[in-house]
Amino acid sequence: MRIGALVLKRKSWEPLAFASPSLALIAIVIVFPLAYSFWLSFRNFDLAVGPDSEFVGGANYVEALVRDSRFLNSIWNTAIIIGPSLVLELLLGLGLALLLTRIGRGRPIITALLAIPAMVSPVMAAMTWRMMFGVKYGAINNLGRQLGVIDVYFDWFSNPFISIVAIVMVEVWHNTAFMTLVLLAGLQSIPTELYDAGKADGADGWRSFWYITLPLLKFTMVVGLMIRLIDLTKLFGLIFVLTYGGPGGATETVAFSTYLAGFNDFRMSYAAALSYVIVGGVLVLTLGFMWIQRYREMRAA
Amino acid sequence: MAIALDRPRTVSRSARALRVRRWVGTALTWVAVVAALLFFLGPFFWILTTSLKGNEDYFAYPPVWVPADASLKHYGALFTRSSGARYFTNSLVVSTLSMLAALLVSLPTAYSIARWRFGGGFLSLFLLVLRMLPAIALIIPLYIMYKLLGLTNSYLGLVIVYTVLYVPFAVWLLVGFLRDFPVEIEEAALIDGCSRLRALVSVVVPIIAPGLAVVALFSFIATWNEFLFAIVLTGIETKTMMVLVTSFTSGGTDMFYGEASASVVLGVLPAFIVAFVLQRYLVKGLALGGTKG
Amino acid sequence: MRKLSILAVVLAVGALAAWLGLPVNEVKAARPYEGTTIRAVVNAEYVKYSLSLVEQAVYDKLGIKIETEVIPLDPYVAKTLLEFNSGKSPWDLIMFGPSFMPDYGRHLEPLEPWIQKLKLDFVMDDIPDVYKKLMLRHEGKIVSMPYDGDVHIMFWNKVAFERPDNKKKFKAKYGYELAPPQTWKQWDDQAEFFHGWGWDGTDRKLFGAGASYKGNNYSYYWWRPRFFSYGGQYFDAQMKPLINGPAGLRALEEMVKTIQYYPPGVMLFESEEPKTMLIKGEVPFLFSWTSTGKRVGNPNESVIVGKAGFGIVPGAEIDGKIVYRPDLTPGRSMAVSKYSQKKEATMKVLELISDPEQSLKIVMDPKTIMDPWRVSHFKSEKFRKSFPGADEYLDAILKTFPHVVPDPILPGASEYMRKLSFEITEALAKRKSPQEALDSAAAEWDKITDRRGRDKQTALWGEKMSEMKQVGIEYHPDWAKKAK
């Protein structure tokens, strides 16, 4: 990048000036509120009770981690949604990416078509599937009855386990396209000479996949998984529309139960504390993920 | 087919067997493609046909998969009884304004980073941190602040939040476009006496306009799809399409099935359009969270 | 000559204008608030629809237009109170559940000064005592008018109970005559009996009974009548929750055991789904809001018109007598916001939509699901003849009034009820045992009491408890075991 001449010619205030609008906005709309929220989390501001609040130290955090079984339960729920979703998105995404490499003509169109579910809002995806899961008139039950698989009405959302399954299914439907595209890009960046060389050595089909494709794809997969992992911790809109946390608290995620604490119970300070617990958790997860990767790389070296 | 290698054209038995295998392979590939398309696009098809069911086909069993009596009456009901027209406009206005504001703010910033390495490698780190932040952590203090300032139930309030949320990603994308931009053209303009800003506006912008369009479209879709901030910060006048959909969830999916499905069709419309227009940039856009709610 | 003709024309035009102008002035006088729009907030599409039934009258008589916002039920209390607690309100006409009066009351404009000032007439003596006591006052002042009188009564499909074949089978299996259930035991027996076959004579697979078990607000209303008829009460005098005692446990265990006899989807049912199943002949009986009756009698959707029975919700047999404890659910009241800029216009609207004629229109229409609340509604010949059995239906409601149990009308009522309903649904979904669920709920109730100020709550509860005692509702620790 030949910036030499330009660097010499710049006025010293220009870089900051150019960047200042966004810096100001970020400071006011992101940094300040987050600091305020952090401060709030050590008080007991409760809009239901009144506008005054007092300092309570870490009481909110203690309650969140020790006395709030509903929040702890939501952590568990989030985990059991994230796990299968990641695995399925990876496998399905890989399968689709491989499939797409086998298509010459029409690849751009088909790729774009398959990417559409990932471009719609999770709320729209959830509403679509909620109607399809409808007990009496939904597409799935109707199809099941037509094919003779289901007898009377089947309710997908009375059973906690099946509700989680439904959520994972909708989530995978919604976001597999992301992994597909990431992996497709990764596959396309593998030079074909490697495959030719492999074929000359007798490696073909499955073996070329296992020994050539996968290792080279590893980094892409890790990056994709990490991004998906971070996104999945924020799961909210999909839950709100598909199950609203039900049945009972079976599908409440951490973001959802924090929302309920803040906007159903008005416990703003407590909700702020919960949100920082989530932030802490995500930080730990991400760092842990990266550390494990580093460790495996070092061992492989 | 992807990995085509040169093969000698011998018409031996093994070659014929190979061709049969290839043909079967191709057939299976296309079967898989069709299955994938059915799975991923089928639901949209069902919602679309449901929204067009003119009579009471929704309640019919055996189920009617293709409506005999297609009609737009549900869209009409959505627009009038459920104020769908107003909320569709709201989504349109908010997303457009946010998109423009984001561009306006992020272009100079991207310029600063691309040309002068402003902030060092800070941008990538900041992006990652922002990606990790759950919206719920931000909405709580923001709600309290907005209530005090009277910014709830207003276009301005929502646009401010959306602009700030998508500026970092817009900046990232634009930095990429700007880095690819040949510096010589700018230098020529500067030598001619242009100020930095004028050079940016009159020389750079027209050339990277396609890049700007990409960023704009992603911002548009991201704000269109956004849910949490919308549901907390909007009121009767400013509700967006995403919030409208939730009013059909309580007991309503059977009673108001027509309006519910019509609102979904309208809500996913931008996604369909953008997916085709932005094919090449899909990976980047999705990776940077360009379309998340 | 020309001047004369011009004069004649001018006079003629002037006379014509004057004559045309007259009716305009008359109409103007009758529409004193012409051009005013007030904003209302309600918690469901059907309430908005109910307002649309009277908006023509409101416009014709007052010139006022009503713009209605619908906030869904789940976040309704939270969202509206959030606005009020910050001292503002974008709405003039407020719909709310009177059970939440302790939280809403201080944001509502008292009616009496306006009744005096504008000479309003709310026809107060046309309101039955039970609603007068519960739906009008906050700290002694009248702040709202009823809009929807919610009680629960029982509805049943006569076909199920009168078929000789059904009667024979039932007697053989359970040893007593088949009749609409009077006790919970009978209810549960019959739910088991009717489930899974065509008790209407067809070979369809039908269901045992109807209910709404959704967690946020509903399941608690199907648990409560059992709980109270087994001698339960919300708190004791020291504000200790009694919901996780033997009465609550027995009630919840029975529900968990019998959920298999209810239709799939019951866990997500809100108010309308079980009613739809009843009127389509898919469940044989249901207890629910009185608005069910109107849907039962609506020939456009109901297949049991003329074949339905109405009665009081079952109870428990204690020492040979049956104790009934039917639900009085929040219902709906309408009030004027204290922060409104258009109080006068809104008061006039409130007067009009509450008057006997307009309110009758609202409560008679099956699509509004608003329930009768004026004495004149129950006596109205029009209503009593509006569908076969309508008179039995209205009488059943009147019979229910003396026994009804209200919600815990305290600050934070919505939170107490929501947390309890959540735990009940957790038990129904088999995620917790009934005892665990009720213990969690009791723990949550303690937390709420502490947050709201324990001393204040205990004092307020003391008042409510003695009010309930006056109508015979109090804690009986021994009933849970005794009840048959």
Side-chain angles (χ1 to χ4, degrees), chain B residues 167-243:
Chain B
V167 153
F169 308 134
V171 166
W172 173 291
L173 279 176
L174 285 175
V175 165
F177 286 120
L178 282 173
R179 286 212 174 112
D180 293 337
F181 183 82
V183 164
E184 299 81 30
I185 303 185
E186 272 179 78
E187 285 185 0
L190 286 169
I191 293 174
D192 276 349
C194 275
S195 75
R196 190 62 75 171
L197 192 57
R198 267 200 68 198
L200 177 60
V201 171
S202 47
V203 174
V204 179
V205 165
I207 299 186
I208 64 168
L212 291 178
V214 169
V215 174
L217 280 176
F218 272 124
S219 300
F220 184 89
I221 268 249
T223 54
W224 180 276
N225 286 347
E226 205 284 328
F227 180 65
L228 178 56
F229 287 97
I231 199 181
V232 173
L233 297 177
T234 59
I236 184 179
E237 277 94 2
T238 54
K239 260 204 281 204
T240 62
M241 287 301 286
M242 299 298 132
V243 180

Side-chain angles (χ1 to χ4, degrees), chain C residues 98 101 124 126-137 144-152 289-290 327-333 371-375 377-378 397-398 400-401 404:
Chain C
M101 184 69 87
M124 294 291 196
D126 186 28
I127 305 178
D129 284 335
V130 63
Y131 292 138
K132 241 198 238 165
K133 223 168 9 147
L134 291 164
M135 293 176 99
L136 299 185
R137 295 178 192 273
S144 62
M145 282 297 288
Y147 189 73
D148 174 17
D150 268 350
V151 295
H152 275 194
W289 286 277
T290 46
D327 281 324
L328 178 69
T329 70
R332 293 178 170 90
S333 293
D371 301 297
W373 54 273
R374 280 194 179 281
V375 178
H377 296 164
F378 295 102
I397 304 177
L398 289 172
T400 305
F401 279 161
V404 292

Side-chain angles (χ1 to χ4, degrees), chain B residues 20-159:
Chain B
V20 169
R21 261 183 52 206
R22 279 240 200 106
W23 186 88
V24 170
T26 318
L28 281 177
T29 304
W30 283 98
V31 165
V33 167
V34 168
L37 285 175
L38 267 178
F39 177 62
F40 285 104
L41 295 180
F44 292 122
F45 178 73
W46 184 78
I47 277 278
L48 180 64
T49 55
T50 303
S51 71
L52 293 173
K53 287 187 176 155
N55 51 20
E56 300 309 298
D57 275 345
Y58 182 71
F59 303 105
Y61 187 79
V64 175
W65 298 107
V66 181
D69 245 336
S71 107
L72 289 176
K73 74 171 190 196
H74 298 302
Y75 290 88
L78 179 68
F79 272 32
T80 51
R81 244 194 356 199
S82 307
S83 309
R86 175 197 264 169
Y87 300 136
F88 190 79
T89 315
N90 287 343
S91 279
L92 215 54
V93 168
V94 167
S95 291
T96 309
L97 289 178
S98 309
M99 156 185 106
L100 291 173
L103 271 182
L104 209 61
V105 167
S106 46
L107 186 55
T109 312
Y111 191 77
S112 194
I113 296 178
R115 290 285 174 266
W116 301 310
R117 297 224 193 104
F118 179 80
F122 185 59
L123 178 63
S124 336
L125 183 63
F126 185 70
L127 260 185
L128 185 62
V129 168
L130 196 65
R131 193 63 189 283
M132 293 201 302
L133 185 75
I136 190 78
L138 192 56
I139 187 62
I140 290 168
L142 222 50
Y143 177 73
I144 300 174
M145 288 163 58
Y146 270 30
K147 277 237 132 253
L148 284 174
L149 296 171
L151 282 175
T152 53
N153 195 23
S154 70
Y155 283 156
L156 182 63
L158 211 50
V159 169

Side-chain angles (χ1 to χ4, degrees), chain A residues 1-12:
Chain A
M1 193 170 93
R2 292 186 29 225
I3 59 166
L6 290 181
V7 170
L8 287 175
K9 283 177 106 193
R10 73 150 195 243
K11 303 177 192 130
S12 56

Side-chain angles (χ1 to χ4, degrees), chain C residues 350-367:
Chain C
L350 185 61
E351 179 195 25
L352 187 57
I353 65 180
S354 313
D355 86 9
E357 186 192 331
Q358 300 301 330
S359 58
L360 182 64
K361 230 198 290 180
I362 293 175
V363 302
M364 271 187 64
D365 185 323
K367 285 215 289 281

